[in-house]
Amino acid sequence: MNRNALVVAALALVSTSAFAADYPSGYTKCVQNTGATCTMTGTRSTALGKNDVFVYAVKTGSFVCSSANYPTNTYPSSAWCSYSNTTTSSSSSSVASSVASSSVASSVASSSSSSKSSSSVASSVASSSVASSVASSSVASSVASSVASGTVDAKTLTGASTPFQSANYGVRNYSAPVKDSNGHDPANYKAAPVLPTWQFATSDPTGGKLTFEREVAPANGWHTWSRKGKVTVTGGSGATASRVYTVFNGQQLVAAINEAQNDPKIIRVVGHIDLRWSSNNTVFKEYTSYSDQKMGGSIMLPSNTTLVGINDAQGRPARITGTTILIGSELANGAVDAETGYKAWIAAGKDSEDYPTWTRNIIIRNLVIDAPWDVNPEDSANAYADAMTLSRAQNIWIDHVSMGDGDTPDSLASDTRHDGLLDIVRGSDYVTVNGSYFFKHHKTTLIGNGDSGRAWSDDGRLHVTLSNNFYDRLESRLPLNRYGQVHMFNNYIYGLTDSGVSADLKFGSGVDPRYKSNMLLENMYFEITALATDSFCKKAIDGGNGTNPIGFRSSGHQLLSNKGGNTTPIAWDGQCGYAVPTGANVWTPPYTYTLQTATAAKASVVANAGAGKLK
């Protein structure tokens, strides 16, 4: 029997297997989601789920089987509760012990005599790439104390199921453009018409001193949850001294990633990085083709990474241009395609969270990221290169990042040369974007990149928090959401609809709830110029294409338009005729968060959002 036949057979088996569908392997099935009591002893991991999709929580003793008792409560009454056949410990001491056990070098000099001199990265990463002396006990203690009681370090969710995928990225092939089945026609090749004013750096103004780099993510967004319970996103905060890098160019960044792989690592960016530059930022060559840009113009961040920008000697934030940042990839795992591989894994009764190719536990902070110019897009309306793409990524915290088109807006071309700024797609889950600044771009954020054809990967996933962000003069997708259980609060959306406004700055549509989305919007400030108040529900919030979310709740906003000389905002709920969720589709954020009034949020966001604010 060939592999395809085996996959079909496996898929057929799952339809007759209650074990695979109703509860995870190694668990005992208990009662259904009707408020009945599940009887067990000790402290155990428990699960609520149906059809091979589960959410997990640690519980002690008998518990009520109710959606409200789990981190995401969208499960129907036909879902089952179950509990692990082995007991566990939820005490903070076990977490601390786990973190403390990681080895950390007692001290590393930041001089050229660094112990890294014999490593493969020595020729690429400057001698200052290793931070000043760090005591192993203090690093372990710091990270352990930051992992809240009752949670686990997200690092412990990575391992054999998280392969290193980054080795082929950031390597230029300088190939000639060729016509392919996706429409990348050499006739459409066009180099970026404008290059930025470079702000390269060759030295670290901090002298290698770490300030915010070892911080773990706060517990105020979806990133702090998982299907196996509450977690703390630590990124690379527990990195050993030999896994702390300071990089000044693209090749050093790629070398640091390839050396550390999935180890906890802190990568500090100083100055301006662009993979079109080589030889210590002395040789520039534009991407030569779609292939050259796709691989040579992208970096892929592996699990357990903290990537941060360090302000330069002039106080300017670190900047990344001409480079796509990838977090995760939808790999086939040996099957003929990604969907077949994933479904075969589930059909075999295995936990989806253990499926190989997940990328987890990443922190990105204090960086300016310019959306790359696509030198050879697939057609006149669709470019390939995003500024950042999350794909099969989990437990991701993005904080104080600035993203826009930089020096190459779409108006410089007669076709589309940019895709998204920040896309969260292909089954990604538990992501928070906070305190960030998005500006001068067309397609801002896509959550879920397809309708029914993506149910196998996206249904029940895409839990995303968007908070305290500044959306400034953008065209659309703030965000466009399919499938996602998205919480937006205290964001400021500023748009221009005046006649004569440049197409690069003109507002088209804002929050865009689409197929099977379930959104909660709280206390946001919408300021859209020259727009009649009765048009806001077609602009500021617009689902488009007649598609319907499964739930939409919106309240506490302020709405301001200068139409007719108006200068006074009005209270606005923004419900816009959408139906609120009912029954099992009602959910409450399972994390604590500080909710400001919309007016206070506007002032706070304008003052604090974006790169350069962390020092």
Side-chain angles (χ1 to χ4, degrees):
M1 184 180 290
N2 64 29
R3 182 174 62 186
N4 289 347
L6 284 170
V7 169
V8 171
L11 291 174
L13 283 173
V14 75
S15 65
T16 61
S17 172
F19 180 88
D22 293 336
Y23 57 103
S25 176
Y27 281 60
T28 295
K29 188 175 180 181
C30 193
V31 294
Q32 285 187 297
N33 178 26
T34 58
T37 297
C38 179
T39 302
M40 70 171 194
T41 60
T43 298
R44 301 172 186 262
S45 175
T46 70
L48 174 65
K50 183 178 176 63
N51 295 330
D52 304 301
V53 178
F54 306 104
V55 60
Y56 296 81
V58 175
K59 298 187 181 299
T60 301
S62 298
F63 63 95
V64 173
C65 183
S66 167
S67 296
N69 285 334
Y70 285 83
T72 117
N73 53 357
T74 60
Y75 285 81
S77 59
S78 57
W80 283 83
C81 282
S82 58
Y83 57 85
S84 173
N85 295 334
T86 58
T87 58
T88 185
S89 170
S90 60
S91 68
S92 59
S93 61
S94 65
V95 176
S97 174
S98 173
V99 176
S101 66
S102 63
S103 63
V104 181
S106 60
S107 66
V108 178
S110 60
S111 66
S112 59
S113 61
S114 164
S115 61
K116 291 175 63 60
S117 61
S118 62
S119 75
S120 62
V121 179
S123 62
S124 298
V125 182
S127 60
S128 61
S129 64
V130 182
S132 56
S133 299
V134 182
S136 61
S137 60
S138 64
V139 172
S141 175
S142 173
V143 176
S145 65
S146 299
V147 179
S149 177
T151 72
V152 297
D153 186 341
K155 177 173 70 71
T156 65
L157 301 179
T158 64
S161 64
T162 306
F164 179 66
Q165 305 175 31
S166 306
N168 295 324
Y169 289 92
V171 180
R172 300 284 303 273
N173 61 34
Y174 301 103
S175 59
V178 295
K179 191 167 186 176
D180 60 23
S181 59
N182 292 322
H184 299 280
D185 191 328
N188 199 30
Y189 176 89
K190 183 178 182 179
V194 176
L195 295 177
T197 300
W198 303 101
Q199 52 189 65
F200 296 133
T202 57
S203 63
D204 178 1
T206 72
K209 180 180 178 181
L210 303 187
T211 53
F212 63 91
E213 293 94 321
R214 287 202 185 274
E215 292 177 359
V216 302
N220 62 353
W222 269 122
H223 66 282
T224 196
W225 285 89
S226 76
R227 293 183 174 224
K228 297 192 176 183
K230 189 172 175 59
V231 304
T232 297
V233 174
T234 56
S237 58
T240 67
S242 64
R243 291 290 183 260
V244 179
Y245 306 86
T246 296
V247 300
F248 304 97
N249 59 60
Q251 291 71 46
Q252 291 175 354
L253 174 56
V254 170
I257 290 170
N258 287 335
E259 181 181 80
Q261 299 194 21
N262 286 326
D263 292 348
K265 73 200 76 65
I266 296 171
I267 304 178
R268 308 165 75 244
V269 177
V270 182
H272 205 152
I273 282 182
D274 187 331
L275 288 172
R276 294 174 294 180
W277 285 90
S278 60
S279 301
N280 289 321
N281 293 329
T282 61
V283 176
F284 177 86
K285 187 170 179 58
E286 180 59 274
Y287 298 120
T288 58
S289 64
Y290 161 71
S291 172
D292 185 33
Q293 182 169 17
K294 179 181 178 181
M295 302 305 296
S298 301
I299 61 166
M300 179 174 284
L301 297 181
S303 295
N304 307 316
T305 298
T306 292
L307 176 69
V308 299
I310 304 300
N311 299 347
D312 67 13
Q314 289 74 47
R316 299 172 298 185
R319 185 175 175 188
I320 297 178
T321 301
T323 301
T324 292
I325 297 175
L326 303 174
I327 303 177
S329 179
E330 190 174 69
L331 304 181
N333 190 35
V336 292
D337 58 66
E339 181 176 357
T340 299
Y342 181 82
K343 287 182 174 179
W345 180 272
I346 300 302
K350 298 179 181 179
D351 189 342
S352 64
E353 296 305 281
D354 295 332
Y355 183 67
T357 75
W358 289 116
T359 297
R360 297 179 169 98
N361 194 33
I362 290 179
I363 294 172
I364 301 177
R365 305 180 76 187
N366 208 49
L367 281 165
V368 175
I369 303 171
D370 298 330
W373 173 273
D374 195 325
V375 297
N376 202 174
E378 54 195 89
D379 58 50
S380 61
N382 294 283
Y384 160 78
D386 294 329
M388 187 185 301
T389 304
L390 279 60
S391 181
R392 276 196 185 152
Q394 294 196 50
N395 301 122
I396 313 297
W397 185 48
I398 299 169
D399 175 66
H400 283 86
V401 168
S402 295
M403 303 180 76
D405 280 350
D407 302 281
T408 58
D410 270 343
S411 59
L412 297 178
S414 58
D415 55 2
T416 300
R417 293 286 167 166
H418 299 93
D419 197 19
L421 276 185
L422 170 61
D423 284 3
I424 303 168
V425 295
R426 301 182 189 93
S428 292
D429 215 355
Y430 305 112
V431 176
T432 294
V433 183
N434 173 76
S436 293
Y437 178 58
F438 301 92
F439 61 102
K440 293 174 63 175
H441 186 80
H442 186 184
K443 303 172 183 177
T444 305
T445 292
L446 182 65
I447 299 175
N449 61 339
D451 289 356
S452 57
R454 296 300 316 186
W456 66 273
S457 63
D458 293 355
D459 201 4
R461 294 193 182 272
L462 297 170
H463 296 87
V464 179
T465 300
L466 303 170
S467 58
N468 303 289
N469 300 309
F470 188 175
Y471 296 92
D472 183 12
R473 295 165 295 168
L474 297 153
E475 202 281 335
S476 63
R477 300 187 179 182
L478 310 180
L480 188 161
N481 176 26
R482 301 180 181 96
Y483 290 102
Q485 195 168 96
V486 174
H487 184 202
M488 300 184 72
F489 67 91
N490 287 160
N491 299 294
Y492 173 43
I493 295 177
Y494 176 70
L496 306 174
T497 63
D498 313 68
S499 61
V501 170
S502 165
D504 293 320
L505 301 174
K506 195 161 188 174
F507 183 83
S509 62
V511 180
D512 196 345
R514 297 279 185 101
Y515 183 72
K516 293 196 74 172
S517 63
N518 195 337
M519 303 186 74
L520 172 62
L521 277 61
E522 298 182 282
N523 296 24
M524 308 215 319
Y525 200 107
F526 294 84
E527 184 173 354
I528 316 294
T529 68
L531 187 67
T533 302
D534 60 4
S535 296
F536 266 85
C537 283
K538 299 177 183 177
K539 287 283 188 179
I541 295 176
D542 177 21
N545 295 338
T547 56
N548 296 315
I550 60 175
F552 188 84
R553 289 169 289 167
S554 180
S555 64
H557 314 309
Q558 289 288 308
L559 171 64
L560 176 62
S561 172
N562 64 356
K563 185 82 170 179
N566 180 52
T567 59
T568 304
I570 62 172
W572 188 53
D573 66 13
Q575 193 63 36
C576 292
Y578 287 106
V580 299
T582 59
N585 290 324
V586 179
W587 60 277
T588 301
Y591 46 84
T592 59
Y593 58 102
T594 300
L595 191 62
Q596 302 181 82
T597 67
T599 300
K602 173 186 173 181
S604 176
V605 165
V606 170
N608 298 302
K613 308 296 174 65
L614 304 179
K615 301 176 182 179

